[in-house]
């Protein structure tokens, strides 16, 4: 299997890989599956729980403009984006089922809350938001995930964090594909006449809200975990470690680049990093070749 991305007229197309991760096999997941780290385990769980509904919303935001996309290459990139995001949601739901069974109540709520009610609420909110604002939110969120993905894949300290191997394989694959499609929603936004003012304004809101909201969700998740209650000093120390560690430290500086007028996601060079991980995961003898259905 070649690791080279499919291209059309020199433009790389996101490749849809139908994956089959097996969480909890042959050994069951430990409750705090990032070895010995309560806070990092809850952070990964909260992010994993939020990915499927978030990615469904991203897909809808792009599909709302499908009839306005005239560039055939962009159409193919959109199809790849939608395919990749769909598979991300499917595989994270597998992990989320395990996490819910292990006692992560926020993940359980996101996974098992009445689908029809939740869907109606989300769709109603989306209808209240102008379509281009919704698309701008997706483009901004994709910048967040691309920055996080690049950090996960480029930092040896992050890669050395001990944890469940299958969870790490999922995160590395997801991070790699986020880099593959990092500019698709952005290019759709531009192609349908989205303004710089709206793009930047939307990111200003997300810039100030995302980390506090995620922090509050992780804190609530930990408060709902009775196994963490007897270890408050450990939790405080690990919280400090997450904020001062390589995943979060300095991240707002990288996110801030998006606020520059004229910014484009491809201004951030990730090609070499992406090619290396495409080869390591899906090249001949790659770590995840056997995972593709």
């Amino acid at each position: 299997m070649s690791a080279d991305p499919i291209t059309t007229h020199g433009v790389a197309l996101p490749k849809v890989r139908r994956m089959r991760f097996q969480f909890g096999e042959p050994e069951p997941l430990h409750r705090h599956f990032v070895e010995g780290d309560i806070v990092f385990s809850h952070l990964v769980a909260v992010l994993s729980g939020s990915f499927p509904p978030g990615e469904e919303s991203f897909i809808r935001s792009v599909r709302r403009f499908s009839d306005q996309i005239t560039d055939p290459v962009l159409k193919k990139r959109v199809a790849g984006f939608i395919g990749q995001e769909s598979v991300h949601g499917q595989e994270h739901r597998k992990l989320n089922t395990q996490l819910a069974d292990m006692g992560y109540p926020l993940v359980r709520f996101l996974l098992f809350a009445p689908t029809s009610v939740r869907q109606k609420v989300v769709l109603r909110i989306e209808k209240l938001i102008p379509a281009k604002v919704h698309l701008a939110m997706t483009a901004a969120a994709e910048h967040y995930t691309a920055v996080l993905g690049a950090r996960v894949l480029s930092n040896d300290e992050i890669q050395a964090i001990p944890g469940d191997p299958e969870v790490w394989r999922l995160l590395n694959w997801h991070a790699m594909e986020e880099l593959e499609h990092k500019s698709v929603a952005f290019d759709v936004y531009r192609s349908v006449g989205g303004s710089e003012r709206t793009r930047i304004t939307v990111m200003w809101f997300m810039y100030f809200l995302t980390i506090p909201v995620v922090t509050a969700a992780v804190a609530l998740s930990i408060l709902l975990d009775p196994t963490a209650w007897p270890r408050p000093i450990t939790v405080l120390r690990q919280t400090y470690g997450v904020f001062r560690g390589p995943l979060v430290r300095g991240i707002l500086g990288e996110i801030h680049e998006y606020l520059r007028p004229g910014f484009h996601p491809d201004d951030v060079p990730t090609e070499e990093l992406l090619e290396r991980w495409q080869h390591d995961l899906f090249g001949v003898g790659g770590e995840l070749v056997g995972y593709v259905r």
Side-chain angles (χ1 to χ4, degrees), residues 127-161:
K127 286 181 180 179
L128 292 174
I129 301 171
K132 286 182 182 176
V133 172
H134 186 197
L135 184 58
M137 293 170 66
T138 295
E142 287 295 311
H143 181 63
Y144 266 94
T145 55
V147 168
L148 282 171
R151 284 185 164 223
V152 166
L153 297 178
S154 65
N155 192 287
D156 292 339
E157 188 177 347
I158 294 175
Q159 288 294 318
I161 294 172

Side-chain angles (χ1 to χ4, degrees), residues 34 37-44 47 151 157-158 161 211 214-215 218 222 234-251:
V34 179
D37 197 318
I38 297 168
V39 175
F40 211 111
S41 296
H42 278 271
L43 173 60
V44 173
L47 291 176
R151 284 185 164 223
E157 188 177 347
I158 294 175
I161 294 172
I211 288 182
V214 172
T215 301
V218 173
I222 294 170
T234 298
V235 169
L236 288 173
R237 176 174 53 80
Q238 291 175 349
T239 300
Y240 179 80
V242 168
F243 276 100
R244 297 301 303 160
L247 186 66
V248 177
R249 183 181 63 242
I251 193 170

